[in-house]
Amino acid sequence: MEFRYSDTQQEIRAAVGGLAASFGDDYWRKCDEEQRYATEFVDAMTEAGWLAALIPEEFGGSGLGLLDACVILEEINRQGGNGAACHAQMYTMASVLQHGSEAQKQAVLPRIANGSLRLQAFGVTEPDAGSNTLKIKTFARKVNRGYVINGQKIWTSRFRQSDMYLLLARTTPYEDVKKKTDGLSLFLVDIKKAGKSLEPRTINTMLNHHTNEVFIDNLEVEDAWRIGEEGKGFQYLLSSLNAERLLVSSECVGDGKWFIDKARAYATGRVVFDRPIGSNQGVAFPIAKAHMNLCAAELMRNQAASMFDDGLHCGAEANMSKYLCSEASWEAAEAAMTTFGGYGVATEYDIERKWKETRLFRTAPISNNLVLAYVAQHVLQMPRSY
């Protein structure tokens, strides 16, 4: 079966590409140097309606599919930007859209669509549990008409740039559940209303990612802001996690294409010993190999995103996509760094900036080793004929 992007997706790519290109390398370099959030870029994306792509038209959005959203984020990164500044608003949508109440949707989706509210923060990971989500300790104790939540989250990016926080907490102790995936609940939290009950502490990192620890102290949340049934939050979370894997895959694809474009241009333009360095197999072959692997990874992304849009279970495919796309992107980053040589670490060429960004995707939002463990379990349980 041949895959081709639709005319609409090609139009999306052109429009987003044009907007992203207007924020040139100098803009992103300055954000990186100053450790500053890309507010102007996010505002422009919001005003153009791209961050409301997944929100149904009845709530002020575009009602597009996940593959369309993938194209949006891919194109941001392909133009040298960093989609991580706004990607969480897209992948947190899945839990709200698929499992939120009508009242919750009416309350938040139109405001997200018009830019008056940001839902960029996602609280799942904890210091002790790491990627073992079922073992989180943050606990929501049931009280009259709501919950009181205490605990701690880590690696909560863009908390300070958000108005609402999608938060996962235990509502039944792990030891008391019959099924391991039960006993977790998902909440929408108004950060401003929470006040001092949520205390963020910045985690300084080697790249401009705006991530925090968040300490949760007697946070009161009304029943109306619990998403779906109590204890079923892990199942609801999977909707957002699969979307997250695919949207991050798309940023990797965009990064990979950016690296290959940069490496190709430099390899054909840089002349040493009276010939372009790209005429040497040691330079050309790594670029070619990265290009091939990136094309294959993009097809895996497209298949998984199409399954998501069709309402099919795509957990394995979404994880395979994240692994293949992040590895292919990193291979392209390494090829570009090698092609540029010493200039690759000079900030004016932007290779080192994007190199750091794409390296993170092999570790977060889920490590590739954990993805391999998940896929291995899936493969070992598959029927012989598949």
Side-chain angles (χ1 to χ4, degrees):
M1 181 179 71
E2 182 180 7
F3 181 90
R4 292 188 181 185
Y5 292 104
S6 68
D7 290 342
T8 298
Q9 288 161 349
Q10 296 286 23
E11 291 169 3
I12 290 171
R13 190 182 296 281
V16 174
L19 190 156
S22 69
F23 291 84
D25 292 334
D26 287 343
Y27 172 81
W28 291 103
R29 199 179 304 135
K30 192 172 181 63
C31 287
D32 200 45
E33 290 170 358
E34 298 175 357
Q35 290 286 294
R36 184 169 63 83
Y37 184 65
T39 301
E40 301 84 1
F41 173 74
V42 176
D43 287 345
M45 287 289 292
T46 302
E47 185 176 347
W50 296 120
L51 299 191
L54 296 174
I55 297 175
E57 292 181 19
E58 63 187 287
F59 297 112
S62 304
L64 299 177
L66 187 70
L67 183 55
D68 302 319
C70 287
V71 170
I72 292 170
L73 289 180
E74 176 190 323
E75 198 59 32
I76 292 171
N77 282 40
R78 186 175 187 175
Q79 296 299 328
N82 185 356
C86 55
H87 63 189
Q89 194 148 291
M90 289 188 174
Y91 61 70
T92 51
M93 280 296 98
S95 293
V96 179
L97 288 171
Q98 295 184 21
H99 309 291
S101 68
E102 188 64 24
Q104 289 167 350
K105 294 176 185 178
Q106 291 286 356
V108 303
L109 295 183
R111 295 176 61 199
I112 292 174
N114 67 27
S116 62
L117 183 147
R118 285 183 184 166
L119 175 57
Q120 287 279 359
F122 199 17
V124 178
T125 307
E126 297 185 5
D128 294 332
S131 296
N132 188 358
T133 303
L134 302 181
K135 288 292 188 75
I136 64 170
K137 296 178 180 178
T138 296
F139 196 82
R141 177 173 56 87
K142 190 73 181 74
V143 296
N144 187 31
R145 292 182 294 184
Y147 298 83
V148 175
I149 306 177
N150 285 278
Q152 179 185 357
K153 297 294 180 180
I154 198 167
W155 306 118
T156 298
S157 299
R158 296 162 303 278
F159 180 89
R160 299 174 193 270
Q161 289 80 31
S162 296
D163 299 299
M164 296 206 78
Y165 188 27
L166 187 63
L167 177 65
L168 186 71
R170 279 220 155 268
T171 41
T172 302
Y174 180 79
E175 298 77 17
D176 296 342
V177 295
K178 294 180 180 179
K179 188 178 179 182
K180 291 181 179 180
T181 54
D182 287 343
L184 293 164
S185 297
L186 200 58
F187 300 91
L188 274 171
V189 179
D190 185 318
I191 294 175
K192 185 175 181 180
K193 184 178 178 181
K196 294 183 179 180
S197 293
L198 293 175
E199 181 187 349
R201 294 184 186 175
T202 299
I203 301 174
N204 292 317
T205 61
M206 71 174 185
L207 72 168
N208 188 26
H209 209 68
H210 306 281
T211 197
N212 307 268
E213 290 182 271
V214 179
F215 296 87
I216 306 165
D217 183 23
N218 289 327
L219 171 66
E220 297 180 2
V221 180
E222 297 173 359
D223 287 327
W225 293 106
R226 186 193 67 232
I227 294 178
E229 296 181 44
E230 180 179 295
K232 301 298 181 183
F234 184 76
Q235 288 86 340
Y236 304 152
L237 181 67
L238 292 179
S239 300
S240 283
L241 292 182
N242 288 335
E244 174 193 64
R245 308 288 192 259
L246 292 168
L247 291 168
V248 165
S249 296
S250 302
E251 292 170 273
C252 293
V253 171
D255 277 347
K257 291 179 179 180
W258 184 90
F259 282 118
I260 289 168
D261 286 344
K262 290 289 186 181
R264 180 180 63 239
Y266 192 79
T268 54
R270 171 74 164 164
V271 176
V272 179
F273 298 117
D274 300 321
R275 64 178 186 173
I277 61 173
S279 61
N280 300 303
Q281 292 181 355
V283 174
F285 282 12
I287 299 172
K289 184 170 176 285
H291 172 70
M292 289 189 287
N293 286 334
L294 189 68
C295 288
E298 183 178 2
L299 288 174
M300 183 74 249
R301 188 277 311 269
N302 292 344
Q303 178 186 344
S306 297
M307 291 174 67
F308 186 100
D309 284 334
D310 289 339
L312 301 175
H313 179 71
C314 63
E317 290 77 9
N319 278 279
M320 287 188 281
S321 172
K322 190 272 173 183
Y323 180 91
L324 293 171
C325 291
S326 61
E327 290 294 328
S329 179
W330 178 242
E331 184 178 14
E334 286 283 82
M337 182 66 81
T338 301
T339 301
F340 274 75
Y343 290 112
V345 296
T347 57
E348 66 183 288
Y349 288 88
D350 296 292
I351 300 298
E352 57 84 32
R353 172 173 63 85
K354 297 294 289 180
W355 184 85
K356 289 185 293 186
E357 288 175 10
T358 211
R359 175 59 181 85
L360 176 65
F361 288 136
R362 298 176 75 216
T363 304
I366 182 175
S367 75
N368 281 357
N369 282 337
L370 190 61
V371 170
L372 281 173
Y374 175 90
V375 175
Q377 185 179 31
H378 170 76
V379 171
L380 292 173
Q381 293 175 351
M382 287 170 57
R384 184 175 180 181
S385 176
Y386 62 92

